[in-house]
Amino acid sequence: MPEISLMPAIGISASGLEAQNRRMEVIANNMANAQSTRGPDGKVYRRKEVIFAARLAEAINADGIDKKLQGVELQNIVDDQRPPKQVYKPGHPDADENGYVTMPNINTVEEMVDMMSASRSFEANLAAIRTSKSMANQALDILKGR
């Protein structure tokens, strides 16, 4: 009889929780800097995006080496390549000679949609962990003879 374990499912969901949590942190940072005209380096803030990748594990089977999904991981955080916005604010201290201020390339509506998506993904992974835990408890109850 093959061994059945719920631990891989919980591990995969936990990696999803971690990845979505980091995604929400990046989105919150984008929102916090939406009106920043200068960062610590003196340049305008650039919107950040997260890049996820599948976490794979190699396993040996009858046909040779196989790759099995082990979850998701944050591969990189990159700058959005869209150009910054030019906003006409002639009295602003960072305005150029024509009265335009270079603002971050952040669309707050887009960030809110991304935040809702990350939040829902986080909740789905949490629900999967709770379901796995419930299944494990029910299996233990069956083994106890209840």
Side-chain angles (χ1 to χ4, degrees):
M1 180 173 202
E3 184 180 318
I4 298 174
S5 174
L6 297 173
M7 293 311 291
I10 292 172
I12 289 170
S13 293
S15 74
L17 287 176
E18 185 180 329
Q20 294 303 331
N21 185 52
R22 187 68 178 117
R23 180 179 171 205
M24 287 188 276
E25 289 173 0
V26 169
I27 293 167
N29 192 39
N30 287 341
M31 294 286 287
N33 286 290
Q35 299 298 315
S36 300
T37 56
R38 269 186 277 164
D41 60 357
K43 297 179 182 176
V44 69
Y45 178 82
R46 306 256 341 166
R47 178 181 182 267
K48 308 285 187 240
E49 295 180 301
V50 295
I51 307 295
F52 294 134
R55 187 182 301 156
L56 300 173
E58 292 185 0
I60 299 175
N61 61 19
D63 300 327
I65 294 178
D66 187 20
K67 295 206 182 252
K68 295 189 179 194
L69 182 64
Q70 294 293 308
V72 66
E73 62 187 3
L74 181 73
Q75 186 177 41
N76 202 0
I77 299 174
V78 298
D79 288 343
D80 187 333
Q81 295 305 309
R82 290 181 283 188
K85 297 184 241 178
Q86 298 294 319
V87 179
Y88 185 68
K89 290 185 178 181
H92 194 281
D94 291 328
D96 64 13
E97 62 278 350
N98 297 321
Y100 285 93
V101 178
T102 303
M103 300 294 288
N105 58 345
I106 297 171
N107 178 337
T108 54
V109 174
E110 179 182 356
E111 296 301 321
M112 289 304 297
V113 170
D114 284 350
M115 182 66 84
M116 289 187 325
S117 171
S119 177
R120 295 264 163 76
S121 294
F122 187 91
E123 291 169 3
N125 281 298
L126 193 56
I129 289 173
R130 287 183 181 141
T131 300
S132 295
K133 180 182 168 188
S134 174
M135 290 170 61
N137 285 334
Q138 289 174 2
L140 287 174
D141 288 344
I142 291 170
L143 291 173
K144 289 179 184 176
R146 290 186 179 175

